[in-house]
Amino acid sequence: MGLLSILKKMRQKERELRLLMLRVRDYSPLFSYLCSFLPPSPGSPDALWQILQLSDDIRASPDLKAALAIHWAFLERDFARFFRLARELPYLPSCALHPHLARTRRLALLTFSHGFNAKNCRYPLARLSHLLAIDTPEEAADLCRAHGLTVTEDSVVFQKSSFKDSATLENRTSVLLVDGKWKGSLLDLAERVCS
């Protein structure tokens, strides 16, 4: 299967989604649920373009506003705001955002490596784990070590010369951002979305 055929299939799926969204616009809970998954990738210009094509009343929905706020925080490289907004998301949008967390954390560490570049500058791991919405300081230390940063007892030393891009980005389970938001059963969730 060639690249051209894959792109054609992707464009077809996008058209089908837009048609589906036009059909379900009157069913606000379902539409709100679909909007909570937009944009599919923070920083995606195609997703932003599709959202901007929607009518003003749809763009004014709280779910779409939250998705756009996360999108802009990512584009502006405001990682503190990105993860603060991610903490506020309900369960389903958090699940949609979860595959993009590893890439966002890598970009945040790269940005911090350039911004806090000094031999004697130490950043507390507890504060870093809170800022990047990582469950424990130990996980934050593992993430820093995976990217070549020096970790001392309870802090990390950011140096742009020591930062390395790890080959694989691992999306670990996140109690803080995803699993901790799960309340009830699947039936309860379906009733909330569809009622």
Side-chain angles (χ1 to χ4, degrees), residues 2 16 57 68 73 88 116-117 143-145 152 177 182 189:
E16 290 172 9
D57 58 326
L68 281 172
E88 296 169 3
F116 296 118
N117 183 29
L143 181 66
C144 290
R145 284 188 199 100
T152 60
L177 290 180
W182 174 252
L189 180 65

Side-chain angles (χ1 to χ4, degrees), residues 14-25 30-31 34:
E14 287 177 18
R15 276 185 245 134
E16 290 172 9
L17 178 63
R18 286 182 71 58
L19 286 173
L20 175 66
M21 290 179 76
L22 289 173
R23 286 187 201 133
V24 300
R25 188 180 297 178
L30 181 58
F31 184 73
L34 284 174

Side-chain angles (χ1 to χ4, degrees), residues 5-20:
S5 63
I6 292 172
L7 287 173
K8 285 181 183 177
K9 285 185 180 182
M10 287 176 60
R11 292 196 193 282
Q12 178 63 30
K13 293 292 181 188
E14 287 177 18
R15 276 185 245 134
E16 290 172 9
L17 178 63
R18 286 182 71 58
L19 286 173
L20 175 66

Side-chain angles (χ1 to χ4, degrees), residues 84-145:
R84 180 178 42 79
L85 291 169
R87 279 186 201 96
E88 296 169 3
L89 287 176
Y91 178 71
L92 283 175
S94 295
C95 291
L97 187 65
H98 185 261
H100 308 288
L101 293 178
R103 178 175 65 122
T104 306
R105 287 177 176 144
R106 182 188 63 79
L107 285 172
L109 287 178
L110 178 63
T111 303
F112 296 159
S113 293
H114 287 264
F116 296 118
N117 183 29
K119 286 184 179 181
N120 295 327
C121 181
R122 304 202 183 311
Y123 199 86
L125 278 172
R127 190 170 183 185
L128 182 67
S129 65
H130 175 73
L131 184 70
L132 298 180
I134 299 174
D135 293 333
T136 63
E138 291 79 23
E139 285 183 39
D142 292 342
L143 181 66
C144 290
R145 284 188 199 100

